Amino acid sequence: MERRHLRIKQLMDVTWSMPGEDITGQGQVLNISSSGILLQIDNSFKPLSNSVLSVDSEFEEEKPPFVNKKGKVMWFRRINTSKYAYQCGLEFLEGQSTDKEFLDWIEDKTVQLGQTMNASILNNYGI
């Protein structure tokens, strides 16, 4: 299966919620692209077909690449880690992936990857 968008390995702590439901939790982004994210989330998640999650990155030293992105859960699976119970793929909702700051962040990361000459560094980005 060919990927439509470059995925950038980016570990990032996030909070998530399910709009219209009283369900929230903690998670971690594993990778991110202009169309969506691969996310690990805690056991507060109640798997539902076609769920929509709202994801906010937690503020750290650098400015987060996105604020309050909403995405449709395209798939999910149970995982066995001490902190997270599920892994899921989110596809940003229509119009959610077009904010300029987020696209600039993706482009900057892509340029950094293009300038990297050391193959071992590229492995850190999941390429």
Side-chain angles (χ1 to χ4, degrees), residues 2-55:
E2 188 175 325
R3 300 278 184 195
R4 295 180 298 152
H5 302 277
L6 174 68
R7 280 154 174 62
I8 298 169
K9 183 176 179 182
Q10 180 71 39
L11 299 179
M12 180 185 331
D13 292 330
V14 295
T15 57
W16 63 268
S17 62
M18 199 174 281
E21 303 286 330
D22 190 23
I23 304 172
T24 62
Q26 300 293 311
Q28 182 180 49
V29 171
L30 298 178
N31 69 46
I32 190 166
S33 76
S34 60
S35 64
I37 55 179
L38 173 59
L39 183 65
Q40 294 186 140
I41 53 182
D42 59 16
N43 63 2
S44 302
F45 178 63
K46 303 297 182 228
L48 300 170
S49 296
N50 301 319
S51 298
V52 171
L53 295 182
S54 178
V55 180

Side-chain angles (χ1 to χ4, degrees), residues 25-112:
Q26 300 293 311
Q28 182 180 49
V29 171
L30 298 178
N31 69 46
I32 190 166
S33 76
S34 60
S35 64
I37 55 179
L38 173 59
L39 183 65
Q40 294 186 140
I41 53 182
D42 59 16
N43 63 2
S44 302
F45 178 63
K46 303 297 182 228
L48 300 170
S49 296
N50 301 319
S51 298
V52 171
L53 295 182
S54 178
V55 180
D56 271 309
S57 56
E58 294 186 355
F59 294 90
E60 297 179 13
E61 287 89 46
E62 71 176 69
K63 186 177 178 184
F66 62 86
V67 178
N68 194 22
K69 286 285 193 187
K70 289 182 178 65
K72 180 178 171 183
V73 176
M74 301 305 289
W75 59 268
F76 62 88
R77 66 178 170 217
R78 262 189 121 15
I79 57 174
N80 292 318
T81 70
S82 59
K83 192 169 182 178
Y84 301 110
Y86 293 95
Q87 202 171 67
C88 61
L90 288 186
E91 181 177 52
F92 294 133
L93 296 179
E94 200 64 36
Q96 285 286 301
S97 63
T98 58
D99 80 53
K100 182 170 175 10
E101 285 187 38
F102 177 64
L103 293 178
D104 287 348
W105 182 86
I106 292 278
E107 184 176 334
D108 183 51
K109 290 290 186 179
T110 303
V111 167
Q112 289 175 23

